[in-house]
Amino acid sequence: MSERPEPSPVRRAPRGPGGTGCPRLRAQPLGPPGWYKTVVTPRRAAVAIAGCWILSLVVGLTPMFGWNNLREVERAWEANGSTGEPVIKCEFEKVISMEYMVYFNFFVWVLPPLLLMVLIYLEVFYLIRKQLNKKVSASSGDPQKYYGKELKIAKSLALILFLFALSWLPLHILNCITLFCPSCNKPNSLIYIAIFLTHGNSAMNPIVYAFRIQKFRVTFLKIWNDHFRCRARPPSDPELPEDRPDD
């Protein structure tokens, strides 16, 4: 009798969450495994954050170093035959140079980073979609179950980027109109709305985080109960459930 051939070993795909047979889908790293934890250390993150704050202070305080409308106000004061210290009307466009606001602030420190971040997020969503089509195109399971956490975080950050553009672009566009078309009429109500949006942008981010990411929401509620309502929450399990992706 001839010997029966041994069955060839079957290579099984890694089982997904909950013991399902679908492969676990993760975004492919852009570098070698573990490169993020090696490159982004707490010390480097602190240095990067401190550098951003220092750079922001330098850019924001540049008008106090001389790039303002003081000389134009003094020339106009002397041209009118007035003596003594000039009287300056405390209005933003009277004090701050529009060349600084448009050429330096908008064209250097706002518009290029904004466009760069838009391109980065478009690339992120493209890679996620490409990975989805590549690995789960033949799967009958719900693909968002396996990459929903990464996609949800990307959507939240993209929403914050969109709100930033929505809040700051109107004021910068009005500044461009003031510089390039001085004779153009701008309604005061429109200017006030644009200024209100810039001030309200800082308050939008915590709200977006709280509504989109569960751990932020739980933390904000704890801070609110402990410090504003003076009602401590009962101790809970430190291990919070994973965020579910939005529909």
Side-chain angles (χ1 to χ4, degrees):
M1 297 179 63
S2 60
E3 296 182 357
R4 299 178 61 184
E6 294 291 334
S8 58
V10 178
R11 301 183 63 181
R12 299 181 179 273
R15 301 181 70 85
T20 60
C22 300
R24 182 189 299 268
L25 179 62
R26 299 286 294 180
Q28 292 293 330
L30 300 180
W35 71 275
Y36 182 83
K37 292 184 178 180
T38 303
V39 175
V40 185
T41 61
R43 180 184 180 128
R44 291 176 179 173
V47 171
I49 294 173
C52 290
W53 275 101
I54 293 174
L55 182 61
S56 301
L57 287 174
V58 172
V59 173
L61 296 178
T62 297
M64 299 184 64
F65 301 148
W67 198 347
N68 50 52
N69 289 336
L70 179 59
R71 293 182 181 179
E72 287 75 8
V73 172
E74 291 176 345
R75 292 194 194 101
W77 183 263
E78 294 174 357
N80 293 332
S82 303
T83 59
E85 292 292 332
V87 178
I88 303 175
K89 192 174 183 180
C90 188
E91 292 182 355
F92 183 80
E93 294 184 0
K94 299 291 185 182
V95 178
I96 300 298
S97 170
M98 283 297 107
E99 286 82 2
Y100 159 78
M101 288 300 301
V102 174
Y103 294 123
F104 184 68
N105 196 336
F106 184 45
F107 289 165
V108 175
W109 297 109
V110 175
L111 193 58
L114 179 62
L115 295 177
L116 179 62
M117 292 300 296
V118 170
L119 293 177
I120 289 175
Y121 278 111
L122 289 177
E123 180 69 13
V124 168
F125 286 116
Y126 169 75
L127 290 177
I128 291 178
R129 182 59 57 185
K130 182 179 178 181
Q131 195 70 16
L132 170 66
N133 296 334
K134 178 180 178 181
K135 289 199 170 184
V136 297
S137 58
S139 174
S140 59
D142 183 10
Q144 288 197 0
K145 183 188 303 182
Y146 307 110
Y147 78 108
K149 185 176 181 181
E150 290 81 0
L151 182 61
K152 182 176 182 180
I153 294 175
K155 285 183 178 179
S156 301
L157 298 178
L159 178 60
I160 291 175
L161 181 66
F162 170 76
L163 292 176
F164 172 82
L166 184 66
S167 301
W168 282 95
L169 286 182
L171 182 61
H172 285 291
I173 292 174
L174 291 176
N175 291 335
C176 292
I177 295 175
T178 301
L179 179 63
F180 300 122
C181 183
S183 60
C184 296
N185 184 25
K186 296 177 299 182
N188 290 332
S189 58
L190 190 62
I191 297 176
Y192 294 148
I193 292 174
I195 294 175
F196 175 79
L197 287 175
T198 60
H199 287 74
N201 177 250
S202 299
M204 295 180 187
N205 294 348
I207 297 175
V208 173
Y209 280 120
F211 276 95
R212 300 282 300 182
I213 303 177
Q214 184 180 8
K215 291 184 180 181
F216 277 93
R217 182 165 60 250
V218 172
T219 303
F220 288 147
L221 288 176
K222 183 178 184 303
I223 293 174
W224 174 263
N225 290 327
D226 292 349
H227 299 282
F228 294 94
R229 299 182 62 184
C230 299
R231 187 180 68 180
R233 295 184 60 193
S236 58
D237 189 358
E239 294 294 332
L240 294 175
E242 293 291 339
D243 296 331
R244 294 183 178 179
D246 294 343
D247 294 334

